[in-house]
Amino acid sequence: MDTKINTKKNKYKRLGLIAVAITVLGVSSFYVTKRPRSLTVNANELMIKEVYEDNFEDFVVFQAQIEPINSILINVVEGGSVQEIFVENGEMISKGMPIARLYNPNTELNYLTQETAIIEQMNQLNVSKLSIRNQELSLSKDFVAIEHDYNQSKLDYDLNKKLYDREVLAKNEWENTQEKLRYQQERKSIIQQSLIKERESNNIQLKQIDEALAIMRKSLVTLRQNKKNFLVLAPDSGRLSSFEATLGQSIEAGKSIGKVDILSGYKLVAMVDEYYLDRIQENQYGQIEMKGKIIKVKVTKISPEIKSGKFKAELEFIDKIPANLQEGLSVGVKLILSEKEKKIVIPKGSFYAATQGKWIFVVENNKAMRRKIELGRENPNVYEVVSGLKAGEKIITSNYEDYKEIQELTIKK
């Protein structure tokens, strides 16, 4: 006899089992996701420091080089190859002292060609000037002869007039005498006017020639002076530095081959991280340590141009400068950015690279829990705590690279 199976009842039973399984799975998943992710680490792998209250001093430390206050670049006026070197880098030199001699055959030939051309033009202008003078002299000679003829005619006129008045001279001869005088008068007048105009014209031409000759003489002097530029001279007295020219080296015109340091004093020049550009200002004070002494310095100049993530700052010495300072010596500068204030601080550490100061592990007994924090200013030693930590608490300051996703650390002794 067949047994009847209740399929409806079995169906409800299966659905119940599935619901129970889903519930268990959901609870398990919830527990797993909400349970803090933890990790056990050895205590000797961690660096544990204490949060404390201290006089926070906002300062920055950077390296600066000692340089002369004033330096003059030695620029090459005429490019060429180095033919002679007269001094060595670091020597004391005086103004006008020869430093090096350059040679450029193409430029030398060009100077000779220009010099020849200028001299030829000057000779041509001098010939023109002489020709004008000769023309004027010739015209003056003609005027003297004409004036002589006029004077002779005037004498004849005066004599014949007396004879004619006494009725000794015939009328036709008197009229002839009058005509000769009239002719000589007009001739003299015309030549005299021509001579005046000729002299005026000649004076203008001679003035123009003299001006042209003056310009050419200046050009010739400049050209000959430029030929001397192959000899590089010291622009001022001082110590020669950054001079690295070698025999045969080709140097372009306008290039600097060194500098002269005017030994009237020294300054500090530093390349500072761009992070501090808005925080460092002129007239801020700082200090350096040299030969066991603390020396005060002051910022005198800020160059805001950023190069490779750094900007340039210059500082001057306030205290007496130590004797025998060496140019190029590097010293550490501590620059004060604010006065001392009582603040909660934590020591600097590797943790910051992973957290950016937004969270930290706080240690209590053998546990370290992740906690949100806010950090403010910093100096090379500590961070200022704005919120999230209290004095006396202990924190982990070592590297967090392996703990980025961890919420809790168990510290094993």
Side-chain angles (χ1 to χ4, degrees):
M1 179 177 174
D2 296 331
T3 303
K4 184 177 180 182
I5 298 173
N6 191 345
T7 56
K8 187 174 182 181
K9 184 177 181 180
N10 290 338
K11 180 180 178 182
Y12 287 139
K13 186 177 181 180
R14 287 196 298 273
L15 290 174
L17 292 173
I18 292 171
V20 171
I22 291 173
T23 302
V24 172
L25 182 62
V27 171
S28 300
S29 299
F30 177 81
Y31 176 77
V32 170
T33 55
K34 292 299 182 179
R35 181 173 59 86
R37 282 168 287 181
S38 63
L39 183 69
T40 301
V41 295
N42 291 321
N44 56 11
E45 296 178 3
L46 304 175
M47 186 174 289
I48 300 175
K49 300 288 184 179
E50 186 174 335
V51 182
Y52 61 97
E53 186 178 23
D54 197 10
N55 289 321
F56 177 80
E57 186 179 39
D58 194 6
F59 66 92
V60 58
V61 174
F62 51 82
Q63 292 296 115
Q65 284 190 324
I66 297 174
E67 293 186 6
I69 292 178
N70 296 310
S71 295
I72 301 177
L73 291 176
I74 303 171
N75 295 322
V76 172
V77 179
E78 293 293 341
S81 58
V82 180
Q83 190 177 40
E84 292 181 87
I85 296 176
F86 303 106
V87 293
E88 293 183 359
N89 190 41
E91 285 189 25
M92 298 299 296
I93 57 177
S94 56
K95 186 175 181 179
M97 178 183 292
I99 295 174
R101 185 189 300 278
L102 306 182
Y103 178 67
N104 188 326
N106 293 330
T107 306
E108 192 83 27
L109 179 60
N110 184 42
Y111 280 153
L112 290 174
T113 303
Q114 292 182 51
E115 186 175 8
T116 302
I118 292 174
I119 292 174
E120 287 180 353
Q121 292 177 13
M122 291 177 68
N123 288 337
Q124 291 175 3
L125 288 176
N126 283 321
V127 169
S128 298
K129 187 176 180 180
L130 182 60
S131 176
I132 292 172
R133 292 294 189 191
N134 289 335
Q135 290 176 6
E136 186 176 331
L137 181 59
S138 177
L139 195 59
S140 297
K141 289 179 180 180
D142 292 341
F143 180 74
V144 170
I146 291 169
E147 191 172 31
H148 172 73
D149 293 342
Y150 167 78
N151 291 334
Q152 186 62 47
S153 298
K154 183 69 169 61
L155 289 173
D156 292 343
Y157 175 85
D158 292 339
L159 179 60
N160 289 343
K161 185 176 187 304
K162 292 178 180 179
L163 294 174
Y164 180 74
D165 290 342
R166 294 176 183 177
E167 297 180 353
V168 175
L169 186 68
K171 184 178 181 180
N172 62 336
E173 289 185 6
W174 169 240
E175 290 175 352
N176 187 37
T177 300
Q178 287 180 312
E179 177 60 25
K180 284 181 179 181
L181 180 61
R182 183 197 63 78
Y183 167 74
Q184 292 299 336
Q185 282 179 330
E186 290 183 2
R187 184 186 177 200
K188 178 185 175 183
S189 177
I190 293 172
I191 296 300
Q192 192 172 23
Q193 291 178 7
S194 299
L195 182 59
I196 292 172
K197 291 180 179 179
E198 185 73 18
R199 284 176 176 171
E200 290 176 352
S201 176
N202 289 347
N203 287 336
I204 293 173
Q205 292 184 57
L206 290 172
K207 183 180 179 181
Q208 292 173 343
I209 290 174
D210 287 339
E211 289 175 352
L213 285 170
I215 293 173
M216 289 183 179
R217 289 190 192 98
K218 288 182 180 179
S219 299
L220 196 59
V221 170
T222 302
L223 188 65
R224 289 171 176 169
Q225 186 64 40
N226 288 342
K227 290 173 66 177
K228 297 180 181 178
N229 288 332
F230 286 114
L231 182 64
V232 183
L233 305 176
D236 210 331
S237 299
R239 182 168 55 201
L240 180 64
S241 64
S242 303
F243 181 64
E244 299 178 355
T246 56
L247 291 175
Q249 179 184 357
S250 180
I251 301 176
E252 298 177 358
K255 185 177 180 181
S256 173
I257 61 171
K259 62 180 181 177
V260 179
D261 298 327
I262 313 301
L263 303 182
S264 58
Y266 292 92
K267 64 182 177 181
L268 294 170
V269 179
M271 298 304 295
V272 188
D273 191 283
E274 61 182 326
Y275 171 79
Y276 295 100
L277 180 59
D278 295 333
R279 305 180 66 191
I280 295 180
Q281 300 176 355
E282 294 181 4
N283 298 319
Q284 283 182 329
Y285 290 90
Q287 63 185 40
I288 64 172
E289 184 176 350
M290 291 188 68
K291 300 180 180 180
K293 295 182 179 180
I294 301 298
I295 301 172
K296 292 182 180 180
V297 295
K298 181 176 72 173
V299 179
T300 56
K301 184 179 179 181
I302 300 292
S303 299
E305 182 182 4
I306 304 296
K307 292 183 179 179
S308 301
K310 296 181 180 293
F311 67 93
K312 183 178 178 181
E314 294 184 8
L315 304 93
E316 67 177 13
F317 291 91
I318 297 177
D319 293 340
K320 184 179 179 181
I321 304 175
N324 301 322
L325 277 185
Q326 185 177 353
E327 179 191 351
L329 181 66
S330 182
V331 296
V333 178
K334 179 181 178 182
L335 193 65
I336 309 301
L337 302 180
S338 70
E339 299 295 332
K340 292 182 179 180
E341 300 176 82
K342 279 287 185 180
K343 295 289 181 181
I344 302 296
V345 297
I346 59 173
K348 282 196 166 183
S350 305
F351 74 94
Y352 193 87
T355 70
Q356 299 301 309
K358 296 180 180 179
W359 59 273
I360 202 168
F361 280 111
V362 180
V363 179
E364 187 174 352
N365 298 324
N366 65 335
K367 297 285 186 181
M369 300 297 296
R370 181 169 174 154
R371 183 189 296 178
K372 289 183 177 181
I373 62 171
E374 183 181 354
L375 301 181
R377 296 171 296 174
E378 63 178 280
N379 63 34
N381 301 322
V382 297
Y383 293 110
E384 174 193 14
V385 177
V386 177
S387 64
L389 293 171
K390 296 183 296 182
E393 291 186 304
K394 295 186 181 297
I395 56 171
I396 297 174
T397 61
S398 49
N399 196 325
Y400 283 12
E401 192 62 34
D402 297 330
Y403 313 143
K404 289 182 178 180
E405 305 300 326
I406 303 302
Q407 298 293 322
E408 177 185 313
L409 294 175
T410 298
I411 304 173
K412 185 170 65 174
K413 300 294 185 179

